Amino acid sequence: MTRSVRRLLLARLALAVLLLALGGGAGLAVGRLTARPADPQAHERVITAAVESGELSETLSLTVEATWPARALSKSWAAGVVTSVEIRNGDRIRSGQQLFAVDLEPVTVIAGAIPMFRDITPGVKGPDVSQVQRFLAAEGLYSGPADGIAGRGTAMAVRAWQSRLGLNQTGVLQRRDLIVVPTLPLTVQVDPRVLTVGKELSGGEVLVRAFAPEPEFSIRTTKAVEARLTPQTPITVDAGAASWAARVRSSSPDVDSGQVVLRLAGERGAVCADACDLVPRSGVVRYPAGAELQRPVRGSLVPSAAILTDADSRTLVVLADGSRRPVRILATVAGRSCVTGVSAGQRVRVPGTLAG
């Protein structure tokens, strides 16, 4: 290749490189001129939420335990073998009713303030005689005064009572014949392990207990739940056939479990009102219940995160267009608030949440 030809080729190559460089630069310039400018607020676009019209409430699910407390009745002084039991757990007993029999001789319950501490024999005096006289008068067997003197009229009434029961008519009322309790009628608790046919008694045992007039209702829970249940918090107990209104009356720690025991009271007395017979008298009965932590309120519902507080401590929300609207909070439950000041269909900004 001659020198002149080589120079010509080099010149053409340089021209081609120059043209490519000029073309690339021109294209880059055109690209810069025609590209859409970036949206400086694109990365700051806030997420909005629609305002809804609705109801806000909160109910806490609980388990309520019901138990019937019982107290011991007076001791029975009958010694021998139990030959029959005339009462069952939960029976309502009245004055003059036979409870059980020992060696075929019945043991009867009466109302009075003084337990049987001796036999009532002719000539004895005392308030224990007066309560026996009142019992015999209520049975239609004694018409004299309840003067506390076991005279001839009292002895005759005792014989009539013994004849009615098929006993030997001695005119002497034995200590073993009666169990005296403060008030009647009452509902009894009978444990077959304590009182059953064939059991041998030595006298002085407590064989029958009496249920309280109403059951006790309680909740076993944590301190965190206790803090949310005030004495003003309405609690509804679901008993299936009935529902009962209750509130927390008192609380105490349960050392064994580390929990808290909340004792309940009814709106007017017993939690079960006039339907306490629906509560079984055996063991612990558990009922589902609900505590109304927030009564239902209606209004505009917004995310709680959308509510701000300005320098003047006023609550407000920011609408989608950036304008501010003062609001009043009616209730807040689980991240949502019921407010006034905005309407359903509007959109509010949720601060702190940015679009990507």
Side-chain angles (χ1 to χ4, degrees), residues 54-71:
E55 184 177 272
L56 201 62
S57 63
E58 184 178 13
T59 300
L60 179 64
S61 296
L62 301 166
T63 298
V64 171
E65 297 180 348
T67 57
W68 284 90
R71 59 180 174 82

Side-chain angles (χ1 to χ4, degrees), residues 85-105:
V85 178
E86 273 65 326
I87 54 173
R88 295 179 301 176
N89 191 60
D91 280 355
R92 189 84 169 161
I93 62 172
R94 55 177 178 74
S95 179
Q97 184 169 342
Q98 297 175 30
L99 305 181
F100 53 91
V102 176
D103 294 343
L104 300 179
E105 295 188 11

Side-chain angles (χ1 to χ4, degrees), residues 49-245:
V51 178
E52 300 176 353
S53 178
E55 184 177 272
L56 201 62
S57 63
E58 184 178 13
T59 300
L60 179 64
S61 296
L62 301 166
T63 298
V64 171
E65 297 180 348
T67 57
W68 284 90
R71 59 180 174 82
L73 296 183
S74 296
K75 296 177 180 179
S76 168
W77 295 104
V81 177
V82 177
T83 50
S84 67
V85 178
E86 273 65 326
I87 54 173
R88 295 179 301 176
N89 191 60
D91 280 355
R92 189 84 169 161
I93 62 172
R94 55 177 178 74
S95 179
Q97 184 169 342
Q98 297 175 30
L99 305 181
F100 53 91
V102 176
D103 294 343
L104 300 179
E105 295 188 11
V107 176
T108 302
V109 64
I110 71 170
I114 302 173
M116 290 294 289
F117 66 94
R118 62 178 174 176
D119 295 344
I120 305 299
T121 59
V124 300
K125 301 177 182 179
D128 56 330
V129 177
S130 298
Q131 68 187 14
V132 167
Q133 289 172 329
R134 287 191 291 270
F135 160 65
L136 294 170
E139 293 290 309
L141 303 173
Y142 178 71
S143 58
D147 55 7
I149 302 173
R152 182 171 179 272
T154 301
M156 291 178 62
V158 171
R159 289 191 185 94
W161 180 71
Q162 291 170 331
S163 175
R164 178 183 292 178
L165 299 182
L167 303 174
N168 292 331
Q169 299 171 36
T170 63
V172 175
L173 191 61
Q174 299 179 81
R175 182 187 186 189
R176 60 163 286 154
D177 294 335
L178 299 179
I179 290 179
V180 182
V181 299
T183 58
L184 285 169
L186 52 77
T187 304
V188 293
Q189 182 190 60
V190 181
D191 187 341
R193 295 170 298 180
V194 175
L195 180 62
T196 187
V197 173
K199 186 176 182 66
E200 188 167 356
L201 307 176
S202 58
E205 295 95 342
V206 174
L207 302 174
V208 181
R209 300 170 65 88
F211 285 112
E214 62 190 55
E216 292 180 349
F217 291 80
S218 62
I219 298 171
R220 293 182 179 274
T221 187
T222 62
K223 290 184 177 295
V225 172
E226 177 194 17
R228 305 188 72 190
L229 300 177
T230 70
Q232 290 73 43
T233 303
I235 299 173
T236 302
V237 182
D238 182 3
S243 61
W244 301 316

